[in-house]
């Protein structure tokens, strides 16, 4: 049985694994590796260190479906809504800009990573975390994939769904197999950078704001704040509230190479200026998103890039489409087409 390795347990990788299992059941052994400690990628949900029921979304905050994508990705939305993984956004988001008519916004009651976990479960894949891929070598009709602190393994096909700069950093003979125009296209992809804070509060703490989430227009540091359980309509007296704070991109770029321990106090100082009555959190988590959102994708948004057909080495992710839920779905569908025609 062919072994297919998907590198990256984010939305594109998880949907690709799920579609591969559904379309071609029992034909492949699907393996997913991710360098992080859990599933989600930029759809990351973090738990309170003292109460695992209390969570906060550090990455994507809500999902917006345009009329076009609500139609062409209808089956994906229906599946997630039918299982209660997605629910309509019912709370107020101050400063939200509607770019077109007919937009629908959704939230995830169990955290945004629940979408990724759903697709990984459906895929039946063997999923391994703390597996940081470093080298990829072509060995005859297969790929030899090396990771930090582990033995290399062989696969018949490899799908790379991590951010494009991390694809370019891979060692081995991937670079020599890449055509010059492909390398130029990959090098042209760019991302924004920002920090995210997750704040966890003790039970029965009240955060007094008229909104569940807010886009901040008058701060050089903070761009978005959400009382996360209120945003998701999951407030409970048994669990303290949680809050997420996203910095602006200029602030993220300015402090990108600094340690999180240096940056966190700067964000907290500005947060207290904006919300002077904010209660003291029980714990805080600071996360640096070096690759937050795609600002320039591969030209013409092909959804995937095949680096070698035999054995198959293919790249995908929002760097090949656009940086949102539907962009990842689009890429996963393109990856599926390539896998079906090649294996």
């Amino acid at each position: 049985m062919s072994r297919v390795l998907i590198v990256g347990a984010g939305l594109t990788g998880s949907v690709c694994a799920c579609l591969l299992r559904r379309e071609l059941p029992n034909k492949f052994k699907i393996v997913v590796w991710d360098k992080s400690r859990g599933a989600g990628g930029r759809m990351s949900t973090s738990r309170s260190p003292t109460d695992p029921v209390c969570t906060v979304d550090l990455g994507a905050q809500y999902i917006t479906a345009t009329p076009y994508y609500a139609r062409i990705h209808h089956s994906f939305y229906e599946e997630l809504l039918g299982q209660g993984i997605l629910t309509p956004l019912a709370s107020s988001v101050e400063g939200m800009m509607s770019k077109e008519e007919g937009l629908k916004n959704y939230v995830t009651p169990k955290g945004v990573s629940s979408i990724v976990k759903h697709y990984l479960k459906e895929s039946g894949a063997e999923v391994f975390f703390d597996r940081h891929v470093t080298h990829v070598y072509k060995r005859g009709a297969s790929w030899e994939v090396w990771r930090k602190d582990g033995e290399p393994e062989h696969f018949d096909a490899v799908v790379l769904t991590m951010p494009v700069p991390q694809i370019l950093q891979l060692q081995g003979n991937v670079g020599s197999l890449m055509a010059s125009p492909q390398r130029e296209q990959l090098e042209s992809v760019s991302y924004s950078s920002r920090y995210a804070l997750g704040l966890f509060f003790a039970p029965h703490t009240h955060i007094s704001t008229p909104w569940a989430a807010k886009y901040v227009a008058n701060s050089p540091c903070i761009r978005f704040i959400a009382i996360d359980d209120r945003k998701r309509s999951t407030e409970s007296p048994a669990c303290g509230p949680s809050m997420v704070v996203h910095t602006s991109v200029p602030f993220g770029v300015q402090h990108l190479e600094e340690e999180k321990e240096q940056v966190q106090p700067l964000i907290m100082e500005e947060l207290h200026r904006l919300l002077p009555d904010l209660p003291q959190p029980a714990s805080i988590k600071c996360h640096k998103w070096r690759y937050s959102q795609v600002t320039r994708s591969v030209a013409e948004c092909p959804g995937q890039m095949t680096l070698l057909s035999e054995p198959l080495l293919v790249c995908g992710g929002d760097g090949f489409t656009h940086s949102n839920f539907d962009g990842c779905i689009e890429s996963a569908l393109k990856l599926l087409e390539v896998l079906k025609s090649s294996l």
Side-chain angles (χ1 to χ4, degrees), residues 5-291:
L5 174 65
I6 297 174
V7 183
L11 183 58
T12 302
S14 64
V15 174
C16 178
C18 176
L19 294 175
L20 194 56
R21 173 66 71 225
R22 289 177 177 176
E23 295 267 337
L24 299 166
N26 305 317
K27 189 172 180 181
F28 311 108
K29 183 175 183 180
I30 305 168
V31 182
V32 178
W33 286 3
D34 196 283
K35 69 174 186 174
S36 300
R37 290 179 296 173
R42 281 166 284 161
M43 284 190 155
S44 168
T45 302
S46 183
R47 298 183 183 279
S48 164
T50 57
D51 184 357
V53 177
C54 188
T55 63
V56 68
D57 288 329
L58 292 177
Q61 292 298 301
Y62 53 87
I63 289 168
T64 300
T66 65
Y68 172 75
Y69 281 114
R71 178 172 54 82
I72 68 166
H73 292 160
H74 174 77
S75 62
F76 294 94
Y77 284 103
E78 284 300 299
E79 177 178 343
L80 296 173
L81 286 163
Q83 300 204 26
I85 296 166
L86 282 185
T87 58
L89 172 64
S91 53
S92 63
V93 180
E94 192 174 300
M96 180 191 285
M97 304 286 286
S98 290
K99 296 179 181 178
E100 62 177 280
E101 293 292 321
L103 299 179
K104 293 183 179 179
N105 297 301
Y106 301 101
V107 289
T108 47
K110 294 182 180 178
V112 74
S113 67
S114 63
I115 298 174
V116 174
K117 291 174 181 176
H118 166 74
Y119 286 119
L120 287 176
K121 183 179 178 182
E122 288 288 306
S123 75
E126 290 187 352
V127 183
F128 299 93
F129 299 110
D130 293 310
R131 296 218 171 172
H132 186 169
V133 174
T134 57
H135 299 69
V136 179
Y137 294 98
K138 182 178 179 291
R139 302 294 193 210
S142 66
W143 294 102
E144 183 179 271
V145 183
W146 288 69
R147 59 188 172 90
K148 280 186 180 178
D149 307 319
E151 294 296 314
E153 294 189 33
H154 289 83
F155 299 92
D156 299 287
V158 176
V159 181
L160 304 172
T161 69
M162 63 273 230
V164 170
Q166 294 177 352
I167 294 173
L168 290 167
Q169 289 164 12
L170 285 174
Q171 299 179 61
N173 55 13
V174 174
S176 63
L177 296 168
M178 206 180 285
S180 294
Q182 290 180 319
R183 176 174 289 279
E184 289 172 8
Q185 284 187 301
L186 294 179
E187 288 175 344
S188 73
V189 177
S190 60
Y191 294 76
S192 60
S193 302
R194 58 166 48 87
Y195 283 85
L197 287 189
L199 284 69
F200 302 98
F201 298 86
H204 308 293
T205 301
H206 179 65
I207 299 174
S208 180
T209 64
W211 39 261
K214 177 179 181 176
Y215 285 93
V216 179
N218 58 349
S219 170
C221 170
I222 293 174
R223 180 66 184 109
F224 181 82
I225 306 170
I227 295 95
D228 219 36
D229 53 324
R230 193 184 302 173
K231 178 196 75 184
R232 294 189 242 146
S233 301
T234 56
E235 293 170 289
S236 166
C239 177
S242 60
M243 174 180 282
V244 63
V245 178
H246 279 182
T247 71
S248 67
V249 170
F251 178 91
V253 172
Q254 181 184 351
H255 298 280
L256 186 59
E257 303 307 329
E258 296 175 26
E259 296 297 322
K260 291 186 290 185
E261 292 76 15
Q262 295 174 286
V263 179
Q264 179 178 311
L266 303 177
I267 304 170
M268 287 301 297
E269 181 182 355
E270 177 66 2
L271 182 61
H272 282 298
R273 186 187 74 81
L274 295 170
L275 300 174
D277 297 325
L278 184 69
Q280 184 68 24
S283 61
I284 303 172
K285 179 170 184 177
C286 183
H287 187 85
K288 181 191 295 187
W289 290 112
R290 183 175 291 274
Y291 307 114

